[in-house]
Each structure stands twice: as structure tokens, then as C-alpha cells.
Amino acid sequence: YLYTTIIIMIPFLEELRQSRELTNLANGAASSSSSSNSDEEESAQVEIKTEPHQQQCQQQHDPQPSRVTPKQLIGLWAERHLLGLFVVFVIGFAMYGFSNLEWLKPSTQQIVGSTNYVNTSVYVTFWQISCILFGPVYIGVSLYVMYGWKRVLKSKCLFVLVPTTACSFIFVIMWFGGGFEYWFYYVDFIFILVIYCPLDFVCVYMIIRLPKANGEILTTKEAVRISLNYTIPDAVVAIMVVSYMEFLLPVFFTLTDLQKFAWRVLLHPVYFSIISVCSRFFAYKELSTENIILNANLVLHMFFHHQTVGRILITTLESYLFIALAIVISSAQSTILRCTAIKRDELIFGLWMKKERAQKLIRDPRNLIIRATIQNITVALEFSGIFTAPAFMLFFSKWGNLFHMFGGKVSVYTPSLFAYSVILGIFFDAVGDLIASYWEINKLHLPVFKTWDWLKTYKMFYGWLIYGSLTMGLMFMVWMCAKVPRAFSCNSSDICSCNSLTSPLWLKQ
């Protein structure tokens, strides 16, 4: 009730505060020196964030850039992949810790014909913490990265985030303590969507309604439009990724090696390309925004989910030949998609707008900056998946009865298979990335070096990549891939009522 009241009252309180500020300005009230200094700091921060933007806009009529040398390409490859290795180190450490939790009860305590084979205390506690970290906390951290701490505090959106976090803990404790097996009714999915999407909208709205450095204040209509433009792609990504991992991946893990191979090289890239195009469409709608990271985050949400999931599908293959073919083909697909990205977006966007308008939008210098920024980040994230996906299989294989990707088998993943997947992945990823980067810089004229140099100075963003990979990447996948009784695949909360997609190994035997 308190949370709902706060959400309802925020727009009215915000309007009252803004009207008072406008009245003071109209009466010629002088701003205090501290407020002036604060605005100057915020203005300086925006200038730092938009430096590549300004440089590119100034150079849009300059001659085409000179061709990149092999030495420059290799240096770029090494730097971006060094960031990927940093992500691997942190995520690998967390992954090892999660794998040592007691996810299943000892075999002597398992009650056949019951949900008690799962250590529900560990499962519920993990989901509760994960829900908070990739829900309200994720929103708060993303706003801090995009707008800075001073602006977040000034917007008072913490008065919404903190009560929401507290209420989330209380509700889950009440459900579990009362014996309510909420996961069967998909209450955990609904709970996250109901919290994440409205909270995302409200917090963005509160921040963008603050006066800019020049004193300009957005109208309510414009602020709502921009907030929806930021929230809708997040909601689309959340719904499509949850649907894929909850309803499609359990089917994938029951297929033969040949069927899995076909799924990974045909269906999977198409599905996530659709999500990526939808996210980029909303990012392009706000090309006039001053914050590059705001646009980039519209697409990064999807890549946080994809960085490990895409590789997990390959590591579940049992044939060494299929693993090698899948790695080669997926690397080739990634290279082709990157080299044809601009032309592909022009064709897709041309389906619902004029061809000339689509070309102008896609090739806008500001759009090229956003695309280059996203590409620099996703290269590092995709490289980290080469290590984290097989590491997940290696660490969690002892809990094969609980997680879908093991097909009900325990200890099927070996260190030799881990090394085989990693070595092949590194080699073909390097070949594909060098080819794609050469094409992006020399043919598509993306400002890859300028945006990468800027990202290297924006240290806070490194922490954001780590946090997104840990929460939206690892913790989200662990929660989604656990075999617990759910409606549609089970007739009741009793595991014995479940079909072959959810049943653990001991039930099949």
C-alpha cells in the first residue's frame, strides 16, 4: 500500500516542486552559489559524456578516415578482450561460489513424489537476493551510471527504490514462510515484471523532469514519452528472454545433438537478432539525447542475458565435431551480422518508414556513435562468454538433476571439454572480430577508436558491466534454468506430476 501510494503521489509532488521553482525564477530570485556549482558539475559531466558525440558531429563533413592498420586492429582487439577477461575473473569467482551452495537435499532426505528434492531454502533465498539485485538495485545502478549520483539524489527516486526493495523482501518472506510455493504459479515472473517495468518508468521520469544545466524543463508529455521509450524496450527484452529461457530452452535440452546444433545455428541467432533490432529501434528514436550511455543501455540489457546463454547452448553438445562446427558457424554468423548491420537495419526499418528516412536515421553520425559504443562493449561481453559458459557447465555439473542444461545427467562435463571449447572459441572469435572490426572501421566508418578511448576514461562503466553480467547474466540464468514444478508443464506442485521437460533424473528412472 505504501509503495502504491508513493508511485501515485510522485507525479503530483514533482509538478508542485517544479511550479515552485518556475515561480521563483519568474520573480528573479537569484540562485545560490552551491546550486550554481552543482549545475556546473552536472554540465561538465554531460560534456564529458558527449565528447565523442560532439567530435563526430563536427567531423561529419570531414574526409573519410584513413584505413586502420593491422597493428591498430590487434591493439584494439587486445584492449577490448582484456576487459572481457576482467569480467570473466569476477563472474567466474561468483559462479564457483554459487555452485558450492547445497541446491539439492541429501539423497537420504529426498522424498520421492514431492518437491522436497530441491533445497527450497537455498532456492528461495537465492531468488530473493537475485530479484532485488536485477530489479530495484539494477535500476538504481543504471541510473547512477547514466546520470551521476548527484542527479539521482536530486531526483529523489531513492524514495521509490528503497521502499520497493524492502517490500520485496517482506513479500517473499511472507510467501515462503506461509508455505506458499509461489514458483508453481509463476508469481516470481509476474513479481519481477510488475516491479521492474513500472519502477523503471517512474525513476527515469523523475530524473529527466529535473531542470537541465541551461534551466530548461521538459513538459510532462515529453517526459512521459521519453520514459516510455526507455521502459518499453526493457519490458520487451525481459518478456522475450524469460519466454525463451522458461518455455523454449527446456525443449532444447531434450533434443539430440543434431537437433541442438540446428537450433543453435538457425533459431537462436534469429530470435535474439529480433530482440536486438527492437531495442535499437527505441535507441535510435532518442538520437538527440545528450547521454550516450542512456542509448547504449537500451541494447545492453539484452546482451547481459545473451553473453552466457548463447555459449551455453554450444557447450551442451556432446559431440566434439558438433561443438567445433557450432563455434565456427556462430563466429561466422556474428561476423556477417556485424558487417551487414547498417544495411540490415535499413531494410528492416524501411518496412514501416520511408526508405530515405530509414537510411538517414541509420547513418546519422549520432547513431554511428551509439552503434560503435555498443559494439565495443558487446565484443568484451561476448568474449567473456567463451569462458563463463563452459565454466558454468564445469562447476554446476554436480547439480545435473536440478538444472535443465545437463539433461538430468550428473558430472558429464570434463576439464578437457572445457579446454577444447575455450581454445576453439578464442581462436575463431579473434578471427571473426578482426575481420568485423576492419569492416566496421574502414567500410561502415564507425567511430570505434574514438568511442573506445572515451569508454576507457569512464571507469565507472567497468563496474556497470561487471554488475550487469553478474545479475542479468549469471544470477538470472541460474534462477531460470532450475527445474522446479511450474504450471503448464506440471499438473500440480508435486514434481511427479511434471512432464519430461521438468522431471529430474530419479523420477525418470
Side-chain angles (χ1 to χ4, degrees):
Y1 176 79
L2 176 63
Y3 168 67
T4 306
T5 304
I6 291 174
I7 295 297
I8 293 173
M9 290 299 296
I10 280 171
F12 298 100
L13 295 175
E14 194 69 13
E15 288 285 353
L16 179 61
R17 188 179 68 82
Q18 296 294 349
S19 64
R20 287 180 177 176
E21 289 183 358
L22 290 174
T23 302
N24 291 336
L25 289 173
N27 293 332
S31 301
S32 64
S33 58
S34 60
S35 175
S36 176
N37 292 336
S38 175
D39 289 341
E40 289 175 2
E41 290 175 0
E42 290 177 9
S43 178
Q45 185 181 20
V46 171
E47 287 176 4
I48 292 173
K49 290 184 177 183
T50 58
E51 182 180 354
H53 177 179
Q54 295 167 349
Q55 292 177 357
Q56 181 65 19
C57 287
Q58 294 170 0
Q59 296 176 1
Q60 56 183 314
H61 298 298
D62 290 349
Q64 296 293 346
S66 58
R67 289 184 176 274
V68 64
T69 64
K71 183 178 179 180
Q72 289 175 315
L73 271 181
I74 294 174
L76 178 67
W77 175 87
E79 289 181 357
R80 294 194 298 195
H81 287 64
L82 185 62
L83 174 59
L85 287 176
F86 183 58
V87 175
V88 170
F89 176 78
V90 178
I91 301 305
F93 183 79
M95 190 180 294
Y96 178 77
F98 295 156
S99 69
N100 284 315
L101 298 175
E102 291 295 328
W103 291 98
L104 296 176
K105 292 184 177 181
S107 57
T108 55
Q109 297 180 16
Q110 288 182 11
I111 304 175
V112 178
S114 170
T115 58
N116 285 340
Y117 78 102
V118 180
N119 191 339
T120 49
S121 297
V122 172
Y123 177 78
V124 171
T125 302
F126 182 85
W127 177 78
Q128 184 177 6
I129 296 174
S130 301
C131 173
I132 302 304
L133 292 180
F134 56 65
V137 178
Y138 179 89
I139 294 173
V141 174
S142 67
L143 294 175
Y144 164 67
V145 172
M146 291 185 293
Y147 295 102
W149 186 243
K150 290 184 178 179
R151 198 166 178 84
V152 170
L153 290 177
K154 193 174 181 180
S155 70
K156 297 182 175 58
C157 64
L158 291 180
F159 287 101
V160 181
L161 290 170
V162 174
T164 304
T165 304
C167 290
S168 301
F169 274 110
I170 293 172
F171 279 130
V172 175
I173 291 172
M174 290 171 59
W175 291 340
F176 184 60
F180 177 49
E181 296 176 339
Y182 57 84
W183 50 84
F184 177 77
Y185 302 97
Y186 296 92
V187 174
D188 45 356
F189 294 160
I190 299 171
F191 188 65
I192 288 176
L193 290 176
V194 167
I195 287 181
Y196 184 83
C197 296
L199 192 61
D200 199 17
F201 172 83
V202 170
C203 290
V204 172
Y205 176 85
M206 293 176 70
I207 287 184
I208 64 178
R209 282 304 305 272
L210 290 176
K212 296 183 180 180
N214 59 4
E216 179 187 356
I217 300 177
L218 293 176
T219 64
T220 302
K221 182 178 179 181
E222 185 69 9
V224 169
R225 184 187 66 80
I226 295 176
S227 301
L228 285 175
N229 187 74
Y230 184 81
T231 306
I232 290 174
D234 265 354
V236 170
V237 170
I239 292 172
M240 293 192 69
V241 171
V242 165
S243 300
Y244 185 79
M245 297 186 71
E246 174 61 26
F247 301 110
L248 295 181
L249 283 194
V251 177
F252 170 87
F253 294 127
T254 62
L255 303 177
T256 64
D257 256 18
L258 180 59
Q259 292 169 332
K260 287 181 179 180
F261 173 78
W263 181 304
R264 177 58 183 82
V265 300
L266 296 176
L267 176 62
H268 179 82
V270 172
Y271 191 92
F272 276 88
S273 292
I274 293 173
I275 302 177
S276 179
V277 169
C278 292
S279 300
R280 286 202 301 272
F281 173 76
F282 286 93
Y284 298 162
K285 288 180 65 178
E286 295 300 329
L287 287 177
S288 60
T289 187
E290 296 175 334
N291 196 327
I292 298 173
I293 299 302
L294 175 61
N295 298 80
N297 268 343
L298 294 176
V299 183
L300 281 182
H301 183 183
M302 186 272 291
F303 283 102
F304 284 142
H305 292 301
H306 181 262
Q307 67 186 94
T308 301
V309 174
R311 293 281 175 178
I312 281 283
L313 302 189
I314 295 177
T315 57
T316 59
L317 298 171
E318 297 182 5
S319 168
Y320 279 69
L321 175 61
F322 279 132
I323 291 175
L325 288 176
I327 290 174
V328 172
I329 294 175
S330 62
S331 297
Q333 286 175 334
S334 177
T335 303
I336 293 172
L337 289 174
R338 287 173 59 182
C339 293
T340 60
I342 290 182
K343 183 60 67 176
R344 185 179 68 251
D345 283 357
E346 288 177 353
L347 293 174
I348 295 174
F349 285 21
L351 297 176
W352 61 76
M353 66 177 65
K354 291 183 179 180
K355 182 179 179 181
E356 294 76 13
R357 183 188 172 193
Q359 290 179 343
K360 183 178 180 181
L361 175 67
I362 300 302
R363 297 181 185 273
D364 189 297
R366 294 166 295 181
N367 173 37
L368 298 182
I369 291 170
I370 296 170
R371 186 184 292 273
T373 303
I374 294 171
Q375 195 57 59
N376 277 317
I377 298 167
T378 53
V379 165
L381 293 179
E382 293 290 345
F383 178 74
S384 69
I386 295 175
F387 295 86
T388 56
F392 182 92
M393 298 293 290
L394 186 65
F395 292 151
F396 279 81
S397 59
K398 57 187 176 183
W399 307 114
N401 277 351
L402 180 61
F403 294 99
H404 284 290
M405 60 276 294
F406 299 100
K409 301 175 183 177
V410 181
S411 300
V412 296
Y413 206 79
T414 62
S416 60
L417 194 56
F418 171 86
Y420 179 78
S421 300
V422 169
I423 292 172
L424 284 179
I426 292 174
F427 176 77
F428 287 104
D429 175 81
V431 173
D433 182 53
L434 291 173
I435 294 173
S437 297
Y438 176 86
W439 190 269
E440 289 169 342
I441 296 169
N442 289 328
K443 302 297 182 181
L444 304 182
H445 307 300
L446 298 185
V448 173
F449 285 104
K450 290 187 188 316
T451 52
W452 177 245
D453 289 340
W454 171 70
L455 281 172
K456 288 190 296 184
T457 65
Y458 196 30
K459 307 299 183 186
M460 152 169 77
F461 196 69
Y462 297 164
W464 172 234
L465 293 182
I466 296 293
Y467 185 81
S469 300
L470 175 64
T471 55
M472 287 292 187
L474 175 60
M475 299 180 77
F476 184 87
M477 185 179 66
V478 171
W479 163 55
M480 289 295 305
C481 289
K483 291 183 177 182
V484 292
R486 294 190 183 274
F488 303 117
S489 61
C490 307
N491 295 326
S492 69
S493 59
D494 191 325
I495 193 66
C496 288
S497 69
C498 301
N499 57 31
S500 60
L501 299 182
T502 304
S503 301
L505 182 62
W506 56 260
L507 179 58
K508 296 178 182 178
Q509 294 174 338

